[in-house]
Amino acid sequence: MLSVHSLAGQVFLLQLVVVMLLVAAALVALVVQARRDIMADARHRTLTAAQTFANSPGIVAALNSAHPSAELQPHAEAARKKAGVDAVIVYRLDGITLTHSDPRMIGKRVIGPYAAAATGKPFTSTFKGSLGLSVVSAVPVRGPDGSVIAIVSVPVTVETVQHRVNQQLPVLLGSAAAALVVAAGGSGLVSRRLRRQTHGLGPTEMTRMYEHHDAVLHAVREGVLIVGGDGRLLLANDEARRLLDLPPDAEGRHITALGLEEGLGGLLASDRPATDEVHLAADRLLAVSKRLTAPHGPVGSVVTLRDTTELRALSGRAEVARERLQSLYDAGLRIGTTLDVKRTAEELAEVGVTRFADIVTVDLLDPVLRGEEAPGTAAGITELRRTAVSGLAADHPLYHVRDLIRFVPAHPVSTAMAEGRPVMVGDLSASHDWQAQHPERARRVLDHGIHSLLVVPLRARGVVLGVVDFWRAKGSPPFEDEDVSFAEELAARAAVCVDNARRYTREHAMAVTLQHSLLPRALPEQSALDVAYRYLPAQAGVGGDWFDVIPLSGTRVALVVGDVVGHGLHAAATMGRLRTAVRNFAGLDLPVEELLGRLDELVAQIDAEEVAAAKDGEAMISGATCQYAVYDPITGRLAIATAGHPGPAVVRPDGTVDFPRLPVSPPLGLGAGLPVETAEFTVPEDSRLVLYTDGLIEDRTRDLDAGLEALREALTGPPGRTPEAICATVMEAMLSDRPKDDIALLVARTCRLGPEEVAEWDVPRDPAAVAPARAACARRLTEWGLEEVAFTAEVILSELITNAVRYGAEPIAVRLLRTAPRDPAASTLIFEVSDGSSTSPRLRRAKVTDEGGRGLFMVARFAERWGTRYTPTGKVIWAQLSLHQPAGPEAEDLGDILLGQWDDTAM
């Protein structure tokens, strides 16, 4: 409040100074007035005392007595004390003092202003005598004859007068102080209120604020009115006067007396607030906003006025532009949600119908629909395939979806394709080029109410992919030039999405083709298992799931399912490499755990090569899982191992489902040389082995446990179902609408080879035992009705037994197997000779000087296939002979075959 920078502080200090000056002046005036009053009182008192004493009875007698001083002195002292004067002096006319307050002065001559009194005139004057500066009044004493006989003088010293004045000073000063305090308090209250009302602003700031207020109020392009609580106009700026055409004396008049329109005048006079209400004022449309000032100010309202007459047309165009920008934004979100060309065209048609056209059709080139590259130039192209239609009922007169349309060269579509620019036909009824395409169809289109067309080519990377046709029907205005830019922008965005979908279609087709070429095209013939399968690629693209059925020696069959992590060409190529590796390893008759171990090393090697060849650290790591099972139809044993893959399901002959617990090894590539564990168990005949990939049981809507339980429910059913029926049931129950991962399913019904199809003999390690074994083989072949292959079989078996007796170790056993698959042409005869040695024979061409070494050559010559597999106790040499191929050589031809091994010249 004491700050000199604020108006309130300056006012307070000014008031305080003024009050102090007024109080000081009043105090001085009071002191001077008191002194004057006391002096006047002294004159009156001395004069009265002198007159009273001079006229007192007995004074004349006392003066005429012999001793006047003795007579008068006591009376004079008594009168002095009662009158409160300093002395009562009686002089004779010669100046001799008869009475005095100072006895020493009695009898002395005193010189004083007595001449006037001696003449009989009393007087009062200031005189400096023996008592000092004093106020003296002198009155003559008259004798009986009226003559002046003496003079009475009564003085009062100025010191006495001053003393009386000083006695009044504390009261005066206290009163002045009290007045100063009261005045300062009042000034403080006034300044405090002023500071609150001026917000602590100084005079300069307030002056500048009011100048700015006036400048803004009268320069703003909005009208401003301030209306009082009684409905009178308190203030109107220049813009308000212009907009409302107010008279010069409008301020102070009531709103209803200003000649305003009824609606606007009623709003301004009421206490109702408003926001951007449109009212008519003469020929203007005004947006009126009204706010009440109470309770934050005096009762009234503030009104702002905006002229919207000129903005109305602009706002309409801006709204259209805003809606089209919103449409383009929505198009960016709605077009291209899938990488499907047809669906992208449908999305374009749906977006165009929303806010721009009544009907939208999309026509694309056939190569684009197939995912192929469009021709580099669109000149001369007149054939398009109708791909999408939106905004019409099923019975519309336009071409339907999938129709191949051949446009005439002058048609707007042909022009747009050839020139690569939009073509607008404002009035179809006047377009002969459009009607020339199909006059009858054109008439039906016009009868349907369609009257305007805008054709925009779909261009991406400088290549025309097709066109989009925007149609407007009755109730909509014809297309105008300003519509072309929006249609071009919409078509440009859609063309990029169509091209992306086309390229994806091409790459997806290539990946699917590659994947299908790497998967089994047909199941091999074998007698151990009745197999059915399903393979379903993911919607997002091809993946790395695979399956395989591999016939092994001894009528055994290997079942394989695997899954390469990821999707795309890399996953498909890796899957092909792994499938080929599994088939090659299986051809070596490796044990289950050893095969997965080698496959793990292969994946680790592939990953190492990818890391070494990768640039910028972007290596494609080939994570994979695999499950490998070998089923032996003779014993019913199943050996199975898994590397990070879900375990199989076994459907028993009674229809119950079991998920055997298997030891799980790490996924391929992560084993780090660790051994793979194998599980072996016997599977009852007519059981169903179910192998699958994780895409079957895992989904966005369920976890692994829920998927396994759903699979159990799908597999549970009546006994005797075929593998094909089980596959169909499982896929129907487990498949989601859009699977995110590949699905591979393999169902195999187990079969057994009966005792009548297997023959076994133990053979001592003695060359003489070869002949009995060969004879027993011949007898069994005769029992089986296979006499036509008996000679070839005896030759093969003799060589295998002789090789085992000569080079092998005990125990030696011979097993003869006859297989009869569903296809009789695939029937085979299998010879197996096992011994306790782990050495493997190898086929070589004998030298001309060698006496032996030609046995395996004859086995390879007569048998369809032959090989060696190792067992925990030794090895098995086997050979397979087809029962429906031309019979082997006769005995007379055997010599020629053997002699053919020598060179006649060398002999």
Side-chain angles (χ1 to χ4, degrees), residues 372-387:
E372 301 173 2
E373 288 285 351
T377 175
I381 297 178
T382 58
E383 290 187 357
L384 293 174
R385 181 79 61 180
R386 178 62 46 90
T387 309

Side-chain angles (χ1 to χ4, degrees), residues 84-359:
V85 296
D86 292 332
V88 175
I89 303 171
V90 179
Y91 299 97
R92 292 189 309 191
L93 294 178
D94 57 359
I96 299 298
T97 303
L98 298 178
T99 62
H100 201 287
S101 58
D102 186 4
R104 295 175 299 174
M105 297 298 296
I106 296 174
K108 294 182 179 182
R109 184 182 290 274
V110 179
I111 299 175
Y114 309 123
T119 63
K121 294 181 179 179
F123 73 91
T124 301
S125 66
T126 302
F127 175 74
K128 188 174 184 181
S130 59
L131 297 180
L133 185 62
S134 303
V135 176
V136 180
S137 293
V139 176
V141 180
R142 296 179 183 274
D145 56 359
S147 61
V148 178
I149 61 176
I151 300 172
V152 178
S153 173
V154 179
V156 175
T157 62
V158 175
E159 181 179 356
T160 301
V161 174
Q162 185 64 40
H163 178 68
R164 293 181 64 186
V165 172
N166 292 342
Q167 288 179 339
Q168 297 181 7
L169 282 178
V171 177
L172 296 176
L173 291 175
S175 300
L180 182 61
V181 170
V182 172
S187 299
L189 293 176
V190 172
S191 299
R192 181 178 179 183
R193 182 174 181 83
L194 182 61
R195 181 173 62 86
R196 185 167 57 248
Q197 293 179 348
T198 59
H199 302 283
L201 298 175
T204 304
E205 290 81 359
M206 292 186 64
T207 301
R208 184 167 57 250
M209 182 184 68
Y210 282 109
E211 290 176 350
H212 291 171
H213 168 268
D214 291 340
V216 171
L217 183 65
H218 295 287
V220 70
R221 290 300 304 272
E222 286 190 358
V224 178
L225 301 175
I226 299 179
V227 182
D230 58 354
R232 295 185 179 276
L233 181 63
L234 302 180
L235 184 145
N237 69 345
D238 296 342
E239 183 68 9
R241 292 177 179 275
R242 185 184 69 86
L243 294 176
L244 299 178
D245 194 19
L246 297 177
D249 60 345
E251 294 179 354
R253 295 171 60 181
H254 200 275
I255 289 294
T256 56
L258 298 178
L260 302 177
E261 278 69 12
E262 181 179 356
L264 179 58
L267 173 62
L268 297 183
S270 68
D271 57 353
R272 178 176 63 87
T275 301
D276 288 338
E277 289 189 9
V278 178
H279 290 270
L280 185 65
D283 58 346
R284 295 186 178 90
L285 286 176
L286 302 181
V288 182
S289 297
K290 179 181 177 182
R291 295 293 181 268
L292 303 180
T293 56
H296 305 291
V299 178
S301 60
V302 176
V303 181
T304 59
L305 310 170
R306 287 184 293 110
D307 188 357
T308 62
T309 307
E310 299 176 356
L311 296 178
R312 192 172 185 87
L314 293 177
S315 63
R317 291 195 293 269
E319 180 65 20
V320 172
R322 188 196 64 80
E323 290 182 357
R324 291 187 174 179
L325 286 176
Q326 183 66 34
S327 299
L328 292 176
Y329 175 77
D330 294 341
L333 298 178
R334 295 175 55 185
I335 300 176
T337 58
T338 65
L339 290 174
D340 181 80
V341 175
K342 294 181 179 179
R343 181 55 193 157
T344 303
E346 292 171 357
E347 291 170 344
L348 169 59
E350 294 169 0
V351 169
V353 166
T354 304
R355 294 187 180 97
F356 183 65
D358 298 317
I359 306 163

Side-chain angles (χ1 to χ4, degrees), residues 327-577:
S327 299
L328 292 176
Y329 175 77
D330 294 341
L333 298 178
R334 295 175 55 185
I335 300 176
T337 58
T338 65
L339 290 174
D340 181 80
V341 175
K342 294 181 179 179
R343 181 55 193 157
T344 303
E346 292 171 357
E347 291 170 344
L348 169 59
E350 294 169 0
V351 169
V353 166
T354 304
R355 294 187 180 97
F356 183 65
D358 298 317
I359 306 163
V360 177
T361 59
V362 181
D363 305 327
L364 298 177
L365 296 170
D366 272 344
V368 174
L369 294 172
R370 295 192 298 267
E372 301 173 2
E373 288 285 351
T377 175
I381 297 178
T382 58
E383 290 187 357
L384 293 174
R385 181 79 61 180
R386 178 62 46 90
T387 309
V389 176
S390 182
L392 283 175
D395 58 346
H396 62 82
L398 299 177
Y399 290 99
H400 292 77
V401 176
R402 292 185 297 276
D403 287 351
L404 182 63
I405 309 173
R406 294 178 174 86
F407 294 98
V408 297
H411 195 275
V413 171
S414 301
T415 304
M417 289 283 292
E419 300 180 5
R421 62 173 180 85
V423 176
M424 182 180 66
V425 182
D427 186 3
L428 290 175
S429 61
S431 176
H432 300 289
D433 294 336
W434 173 75
Q435 296 180 20
Q437 169 75 23
H438 197 301
E440 178 59 25
R441 185 185 295 273
R443 184 188 60 77
R444 287 189 284 115
V445 169
L446 294 174
D447 292 342
H448 202 77
I450 302 174
H451 59 79
S452 187
L453 169 65
L454 177 58
V455 181
V456 183
L458 295 172
R459 296 174 58 89
R461 298 181 296 110
V463 177
V464 178
L465 308 175
V467 296
V468 54
D469 305 328
F470 301 97
W471 310 77
R472 285 185 178 175
K474 56 184 177 181
S476 298
F479 287 107
E480 299 176 353
D481 293 339
E482 61 183 11
D483 297 322
V484 175
S485 59
F486 171 78
E488 282 186 301
E489 181 65 23
L490 181 61
R493 297 191 180 196
V496 174
C497 297
V498 171
D499 189 57
N500 289 338
R502 178 198 62 78
R503 297 169 68 180
Y504 172 79
T505 301
R506 180 188 61 185
E507 295 177 2
H508 182 71
M510 294 172 57
V512 169
T513 302
L514 172 63
Q515 186 184 42
H516 287 176
S517 67
L518 297 175
L519 289 172
R521 299 189 178 184
L523 295 179
E525 287 293 338
Q526 40 80 33
S527 58
L529 297 170
D530 182 13
V531 181
Y533 67 91
R534 291 290 189 276
Y535 179 80
L536 184 67
Q539 293 290 336
V542 297
D545 291 14
W546 90 91
F547 67 92
D548 214 341
V549 179
I550 307 173
L552 302 178
S553 62
T555 68
R556 297 170 304 126
V557 178
L559 299 177
V560 189
V561 289
D563 183 6
V564 176
V565 176
H567 296 86
L569 291 176
H570 182 268
T574 303
M575 176 269 290
R577 297 173 70 177

Side-chain angles (χ1 to χ4, degrees), residues 616-637:
D616 300 329
E618 297 180 357
M620 300 291 289
I621 303 300
S622 302
T625 62
C626 184
Q627 189 172 86
Y628 184 75
V630 175
Y631 174 70
D632 189 345
I634 299 174
T635 63
R637 298 287 292 175

